[in-house]
Amino acid sequence: MTDGLGRRVVLARPPRRIVAIFASNTEMLAAIGALDRVVGVEAYTRFPPEVQGLPLVGGRLGFSAEAIARLEADLVVMTPARNAAHALTEPMSRIGVPTLVVTHRDLPQIFANLRLLGMATGQETVAEALVARLEARLDAVRMRLAGRAPVRVFMETSSTGRGVFGTIRPGSYSFDAVRLAGGESVFPDVSPNGPPLVSGEAILRADPDFYLVAGRPDQAAEVPHRTGFAALSAVRGGRVHVVSRAQFLIPGPRVVDGVENLARLLHGEAA
Amino acid sequence: MIAWLLPPLGLLAGLMLGAVTLTPAEALSLLADPVQPLGQLLWQWRLPRVLAAGCVGALLALGGAVFQGVFRNPLAEPYLLGSAGGAAVGATVALLVALPLPQWLALPLLAFCGAWGATWLVLALARLADGTSIAALLLAGVAVAALLGAVRSFLMLALSDETVSLQAVLAWALGGVQTPSWRELAVLAALTAAALGLCLALARGLDLLGLGEAVAESFGLPVRRFVALAVLAGAFVVAVSVVWGGLVGFVGLMAPHLARWTSGPLHRGLLPRAAAIGAGLAMLCDGAARALLPPAEIPLGLVTAAIGAPFFLLVLAREARRG
């Protein structure tokens, strides 16, 4: 197999004890029916509920190669974020534990990752059927929205607390999801490589029709109270909504739930 | 003269620069026509932000001028003395630790305690080595700043959740002015005016201290008490600036120097000029921070560091030549 870093990964036999670093990888393994082989996760993994209580191999302060070794893992699946790939691939290769690094820039890559993990775990058929189902659901949304004009949205993914906000950028699966749900980001030109941040001033200037907060309800409730934000069309029209972080910011199968839910939010019964 | 020109210049530049850059004529005509969306934007967002940047700059300059006077050291400034770093550690604790205090109170209170404690620590360490030397103060400042940086980094790693808190603390550390509502701006402006009054009350003492501790004592200045009071006042001023602007380095160094070059060393004239120059500089730098990479913003602290670090080296070279 070739993983997300372009490395050749050879597995002598299907793995029985898998450590999954990052929530998305655990979710994908669960979706292809390999959750019972997951023996370790990291502290931010909360879904599916069965992972609660599994041994942790890292979290806020990094990841422990020793903890993974102690779990006698025979495959580590990870994503090149929070220094995980850098910190783990080398020690794992020294002790002979194969590592599979998956990348997930856009939606097609998420589907490719499901197939890749299916191949790695011997669950090719299950993974293939899952991807077909997910693609069919997206096609159904696309059909229902055919002919409808896209709605201008701003999706806030984080806040610095200093008047600068994180948002989605082109080339990402979150951006794909918003587009498939019949929306269009008011910032289509945020650089795919630069910081995914926009100033409050730029948001006021763009004046989106829908203001989506990928976060908690109290974060959305705060939006109209920010300086100047009461003048936004979305605020005046009562179109500030919370969307699920899990459905838009975790690159797993739940992104398709996010597309369906957001399509209903933006286009009502038609979607 | 230049001191009084900088604030209106900074204000105008601040109004022109942003996610959309305007000509001076456009900016002024839009301000006169607040019904237009862009005019509304200028009134609701850009103008309060620019004025808040001005207040933050003025506060940093006052803090710098007081510290330079009290330590009789031309390189003393809130950032290098650890007081800004101390304030940031206090603010980090307030942002990340659940305290039995509301955040609007916890933030300034802990920022003040951090600023005050860190300044005293630097001062005590410098005195241990050699209280009068520039090198001792600088090295103590570097050591304490490194320690505070490590404490803040650890707190960020250990206490933040995946997204919100970490970004908030990082934004603090890199500096950046928060856009206030008009009411909040009024509070900030009142605090800035109070800070100027407080610093002016210290002016005579700072002048006497400049003549040396023995001479100051002979003129009837209770030196130890005065230094303690001045450090407390400086920490208060810095804490207010950090609450609103995060860690913004070098304005507190540059503004008093530029003021001294134009008005001489007497603090009664120096302090208001330093505040005006600090306000103008911060408004200019904040405008640049908003306009250089739209629709994103560059953190203000990065812009001031890019300008301030060469200035610092210039001052250091002058002092070294002077011996």
Side-chain angles (χ1 to χ4, degrees):
Chain A
M1 284 172 297
T2 305
D3 78 354
L5 294 184
R7 301 177 316 147
R8 292 274 312 151
V9 179
V10 180
L11 299 176
R13 56 186 171 279
R16 294 173 177 283
R17 298 181 64 80
I18 306 172
V19 166
I21 310 280
F22 298 119
S24 54
N25 297 324
T26 308
E27 289 192 21
M28 286 193 290
L29 287 165
I32 59 169
L35 187 65
D36 55 348
R37 282 185 262 167
V38 174
V39 294
V41 294
E42 52 103 34
Y44 291 133
T45 307
R46 297 183 185 109
F47 185 86
E50 295 93 296
V51 299
Q52 303 297 328
L54 279 181
L56 300 181
V57 298
R60 286 180 173 142
L61 297 173
F63 306 96
S64 165
E66 289 174 21
I68 296 172
R70 203 175 297 140
L71 288 171
E72 294 173 19
D74 53 9
L75 176 66
V76 182
V77 181
M78 71 184 97
T79 302
R82 280 201 275 137
N83 213 18
H86 182 250
L88 290 177
T89 46
E90 172 64 22
M92 288 297 112
S93 77
R94 284 196 197 189
I95 59 172
V97 177
T99 51
L100 198 61
V101 181
V102 299
T103 52
H104 45 69
R105 289 192 73 84
D106 52 22
L107 207 52
Q109 262 189 19
I110 295 179
F111 292 157
N113 290 340
L114 285 166
R115 290 195 180 101
L116 183 72
L117 288 176
M119 205 190 305
T121 54
Q123 298 282 91
E124 291 102 325
T125 325
V126 183
E128 204 55 59
L130 172 68
V131 171
R133 277 200 308 279
L134 294 172
E135 283 178 337
R137 282 167 62 191
L138 289 180
D139 280 342
V141 174
R142 201 175 288 130
M143 296 263 287
R144 290 197 290 274
L145 293 180
R148 295 185 77 88
V151 177
R152 297 174 70 252
V153 305
F154 173 69
M155 186 183 282
E156 179 181 311
T157 55
S158 66
S159 164
T160 65
R162 322 289 297 164
V164 178
F165 304 94
T167 192
I168 54 175
R169 53 183 165 187
S172 70
Y173 62 89
S174 315
F175 199 89
D176 289 351
V178 169
R179 193 173 39 78
L180 287 169
E184 64 177 356
S185 170
V186 289
F187 294 110
D189 300 323
V190 175
S191 161
N193 302 314
L197 295 171
V198 293
S199 66
E201 182 175 313
I203 298 170
L204 290 174
R205 173 99 178 103
D207 197 19
D209 293 325
F210 274 74
Y211 197 113
L212 308 173
V213 179
R216 299 189 309 266
D218 61 303
Q219 291 167 327
E222 175 217 304
V223 171
H225 303 295
R226 292 182 190 146
T227 305
F229 275 43
L232 286 173
S233 305
V235 172
R236 281 186 285 126
R239 294 184 298 272
V240 179
H241 297 278
V242 179
V243 293
S244 157
R245 288 185 73 81
Q247 291 177 359
F248 285 96
L249 302 178
I250 294 181
R254 282 193 288 172
V255 172
V256 175
D257 297 348
V259 171
E260 289 171 339
N261 290 337
L262 182 59
R264 274 192 294 274
L265 186 68
L266 299 179
H267 294 278
E269 289 308 309
Chain B
M1 185 62 185
I2 190 150
W4 307 120
L5 273 179
L6 258 180
L9 200 67
L11 180 63
L12 185 64
L15 279 174
M16 287 162 54
L17 297 170
V20 181
T21 296
L22 307 165
T23 65
E26 276 174 327
L28 294 175
S29 79
L30 282 167
L31 275 180
D33 183 14
V35 184
Q36 276 197 52
L38 203 53
Q40 278 238 338
L41 184 73
L42 245 55
W43 276 106
Q44 292 292 330
W45 184 269
R46 207 180 276 187
L47 186 58
R49 162 76 180 256
V50 174
L51 294 173
C55 289
V56 166
L59 288 164
L60 285 169
L62 287 170
V66 167
F67 285 137
Q68 284 174 19
V70 85
F71 297 128
R72 283 172 289 150
N73 190 321
L75 292 171
E77 73 116 19
Y79 201 71
L80 295 167
L81 274 177
S83 42
V89 168
T92 305
V93 173
L95 283 170
L96 297 182
V97 181
L99 297 167
L101 283 174
Q103 199 168 74
W104 64 265
L105 181 63
L107 207 59
L109 193 68
L110 291 188
F112 169 72
C113 291
W116 187 67
T119 313
W120 272 117
L121 187 59
V122 170
L123 192 62
L125 289 173
R127 275 193 181 145
L128 269 182
D130 175 6
T132 56
S133 110
I134 291 179
L137 194 71
L138 272 185
L139 291 176
V142 168
V144 171
L147 178 69
L148 292 171
V151 169
R152 203 184 59 228
S153 301
F154 178 76
L155 289 174
M156 285 166 71
L157 274 175
L159 299 177
S160 61
D161 65 17
E162 297 102 312
T163 51
V164 182
S165 311
L166 194 60
Q167 289 232 12
V169 179
L170 194 60
W172 271 74
L174 297 176
V177 177
Q178 201 179 329
T179 304
S181 66
W182 283 102
R183 189 179 301 177
E184 289 167 331
L185 182 67
V187 174
L188 177 61
L191 283 171
T192 310
L196 179 63
L198 185 66
C199 294
L200 279 173
L202 300 171
R204 183 173 169 276
L206 291 171
D207 289 343
L208 287 175
L209 208 55
L211 302 171
E213 290 193 5
V215 179
E217 288 271 11
S218 74
F219 273 94
L221 184 76
V223 169
R224 288 193 81 84
R225 218 179 73 201
F226 177 77
V227 169
L229 195 71
V231 170
L232 201 64
F236 162 73
V237 171
V238 172
V240 177
S241 85
V242 171
V243 166
W244 285 90
L247 277 187
V248 179
F250 297 105
V251 175
L253 175 82
M254 288 189 283
H257 275 282
L258 294 172
R260 213 172 281 119
W261 291 344
T262 60
S263 82
L266 289 178
H267 284 84
R268 186 153 290 279
L270 173 74
L271 287 164
R273 281 180 177 78
I277 291 172
L281 275 179
M283 288 191 280
L284 282 170
C285 290
D286 185 56
R290 283 180 290 118
L292 285 174
L293 209 68
E297 276 182 20
I298 300 172
L300 174 59
L302 302 189
V303 179
T304 59
I307 301 167
F311 188 91
F312 175 82
L313 291 175
L314 183 77
V315 177
L316 188 63
R318 274 169 61 112
E319 291 303 315
R321 266 205 303 277
R322 198 179 288 173

